[in-house]
Structures are given as C-alpha cells and as structure tokens.
C-alpha cells in the first residue's frame, strides 16, 4: 500500500472543484447524487469522484476500478467472481481470490484522515452551491459528463 503521513499539514490545496448533479431519483435508492472532479494545486486533476447520500449526510467515494484476474487459457481479465471467461467461455477455476480479495480498489485516495476531510469539505461546499442551482427547472441534468465547468476555490 501507500505510505501514510502523520497528519494533513496543508501542503496540498484544492484549487478547483467541478460538480455535475445526477438526475433526481426515488428516495431510498443508494446511488450517486453527484459526480465531481477536483484539481490539486492547479496541477493534478482527480476525476470520477462520486458524492453519495449517506444516512446522515453526503460523503465522497474516490475513483475505483474493479479487480480482475486472467483466464488460464486466453489470458483475458475477468472479474473476481466470474464463473466463466467472458472471452473464450472456459469455466474458470475456483480460487481463493473469489472470497478473500476486495472486488474494487481505489485508484487514488488521500493517505490520511485530515486530507480526506479537507478534500471532502471542499467538495461538499461546492455541492451545496450546485444543489441550489439544480433546483431551477432548466438545470442541465443531461449534459455530457465532462461538459461541466471547473470552479476555482478560494
């Protein structure tokens, strides 16, 4: 894993936050209420951060990828719980990966709680502003995922 630092020292600054609200959904269904990107120090962009409505408040979920393993015959990668290869149809052997490994891994994540809280706070501040805009009847829920504008953070 990644090495952890002792605490957030203010070295990384969120300089931009982009929010795209998800289309309103039925109550009780857990899915993202928004998608966002953040720019760190005007240099590094992290895309595909999801904002999910928790029981008490929204929280962020960092970008992740589905873990996989290769078919022993054709080497095509299949998800960990696949019973058959998605390419050649070979019945895949049962492995310890099917029960012991995580199905998803974060692609990028803060290395400590203080940094996570800082980034989450900036995202949730931008979310509150975007939620008020989304109340307008002409809010563009159907715009393309990467058509939303970056907003500089002060």
């Amino acid at each position: 894993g990644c090495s952890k630092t002792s605490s957030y020292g203010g070295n990384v600054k969120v300089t931009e936050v982009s929010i795209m609200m998800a289309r309103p959904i039925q109550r009780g269904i857990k899915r993202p209420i928004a998608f966002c990107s953040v720019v760190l120090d005007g240099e590094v962009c992290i895309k595909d951060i999801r904002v999910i409505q928790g029981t008490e408040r929204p929280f962020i979920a960092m970008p992740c990828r589905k873990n996989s393993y290769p078919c022993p015959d054709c080497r095509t990668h299949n998800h960990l719980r696949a019973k058959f290869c998605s390419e050649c149809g070979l019945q895949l052997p049962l492995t310890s990966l099917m029960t012991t490994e995580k199905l998803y891994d974060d692609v990028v994540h803060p290395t400590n709680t203080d940094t996570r809280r800082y980034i989450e706070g900036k995202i949730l501040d931008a979310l509150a502003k975007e939620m008020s805009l989304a109340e307008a009847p002409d809010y563009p829920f159907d715009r393309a995922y990467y058509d939303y504008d970056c907003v500089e953070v002060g």
Side-chain angles (χ1 to χ4, degrees), residues 62-84:
M62 298 304 277
C64 61
R65 67 175 173 83
K66 187 181 274 191
N67 289 323
S68 63
Y69 72 101
C71 169
D73 192 37
C74 72
R75 307 305 293 163
T76 298
H77 280 264
N78 295 278
H79 68 85
L80 292 180
R81 294 195 178 147
K83 294 181 181 178
F84 296 91

Side-chain angles (χ1 to χ4, degrees), residues 3-8 111-112 115:
S3 62
K4 296 190 179 214
T5 55
S6 59
S7 67
Y8 178 71
T111 57
N112 62 65
T115 302

Side-chain angles (χ1 to χ4, degrees), residues 8 13 17 19 23 32 44 46 58-59 70 90 117 141 149:
Y8 178 71
K13 298 292 180 206
V17 176
I19 300 282
R23 191 165 279 292
V44 176
I46 303 172
F59 64 92
L90 178 75
R117 285 184 185 146
F141 286 105
D149 296 324

